[in-house]
Amino acid sequence: MASNGSAGEVRDVHSSETTKTLLKSDDLYDYMLKTMVYPRENEFMRELRQITSEHIFGFMSSPPDEGLLLSLLLKVMGAKRTIEVGVYTGCSVLATALAIPDDGRIVAIDVSREYFDLGLPVIKKAGVAHKVDFREGPAGPILDKLIADEEAGSFDFAFVDADKYNYGNYHEQLLRLVRVGGVLAYDNTLWGGTVAMPDDTPLTEEDRKKRDSFRGFNAMIAADTRVEPVQLPIADGITLCRRVA
């Protein structure tokens, strides 16, 4: 969460110095991780998490508790075909690949495969690389091509953790690609709790823009009758939407 330093400095909401959780108690979050998350964490997930944590942008990755949530959700749904917009080193891609059947498929989209290549050796070691169809480039045109290729309604699940300002556009495209009854998941939708802070709360310019963008996106989802949404205070806030129309 953003705060003022001793000299009045306004800090970024997310950085290597912050923990990606909305819990008010770091001790409580540590308890949850050590009690319920780390003991059940897949060995390859743990290896990739540790590799990612050493990267300069490691704080961008989905935390392990969120990974377990997505894994459980995918298994409960019986999901087989998924889309991921925003890949980074592939932590959530690996969680998905481990959860779906051996003949499952993940269309993983990112503007660059540089960071994904850091995690790819672990994904290969886990024996699930054959499930990952990595596509490099801006997500919008790639999603449009999937629609044009008549893959509309053929996916069970989509996870978005990419360009925050385009969430609304991705939502419209993914609603055409994910089947009725499928789930769309959007990460970071509470943006460190800033969405509920007073407008004059000291924030960096970038965090202020993202807060305002998420406020608009959250209002849009809340009013969208095509989905049944729920917003969970896990990690940085994750919004799950079941497509109903």
Side-chain angles (χ1 to χ4, degrees), residues 35-238:
T35 303
M36 203 71 68
V37 178
Y38 292 153
R40 291 179 175 267
E41 188 178 30
N42 175 277
E43 62 178 303
F44 300 109
M45 287 296 302
R46 182 180 303 110
E47 182 179 354
L48 182 51
R49 174 172 60 81
Q50 291 170 345
I51 290 172
T52 303
S53 68
E54 295 172 359
H55 191 270
I56 187 173
F57 298 122
F59 61 88
M60 290 171 32
S61 180
S62 300
D65 49 332
E66 184 177 41
L68 283 183
L69 171 67
L70 294 177
S71 176
L72 179 62
L73 177 61
L74 289 162
K75 292 172 182 175
V76 169
M77 291 176 59
K80 186 173 180 179
R81 290 168 56 85
T82 76
I83 301 174
E84 183 148 339
V85 181
V87 173
Y88 189 41
T89 60
C91 286
S92 51
V93 167
L94 178 56
T96 299
L98 289 167
I100 63 178
D102 192 60
D103 60 346
R105 176 192 179 203
I106 307 164
V107 176
I109 305 168
D110 205 294
V111 292
S112 170
R113 68 172 299 133
E114 176 185 356
Y115 300 140
F116 177 65
D117 282 342
L118 294 175
L120 185 55
V122 181
I123 295 173
K124 289 181 176 178
K125 190 190 304 185
V128 293
H130 65 283
K131 304 180 189 180
V132 183
D133 176 5
F134 184 89
R135 304 198 182 186
E136 184 175 9
I142 293 174
L143 294 174
D144 280 339
K145 188 175 188 307
L146 287 172
I147 295 170
D149 290 344
E150 299 184 351
E151 296 207 49
S154 67
F155 291 89
D156 304 301
F157 180 82
F159 179 63
V160 180
D161 184 9
D163 174 16
K164 313 308 176 187
Y165 304 115
N166 264 319
Y167 270 33
N169 295 326
Y170 298 150
H171 182 66
E172 293 302 323
Q173 293 170 297
L174 291 170
L175 276 176
R176 298 180 63 183
L177 290 165
V178 173
R179 64 174 173 80
V180 172
V183 172
L184 299 81
Y186 298 97
D187 203 14
N188 305 117
T189 56
L190 296 177
W191 201 246
T194 59
V195 291
M197 294 179 184
D199 290 345
D200 60 355
T201 299
L203 297 170
T204 65
E205 182 64 23
E206 185 63 23
D207 281 328
R208 185 176 296 108
K209 289 179 180 178
K210 286 192 171 83
R211 176 202 61 190
D212 293 344
S213 180
F214 275 123
R215 283 176 173 176
F217 177 73
N218 291 337
M220 182 193 80
I221 293 297
D224 191 343
T225 58
R226 298 168 298 177
V227 297
E228 180 182 1
V230 60
Q231 194 167 46
L232 303 174
I234 291 175
D236 195 31
I238 183 170

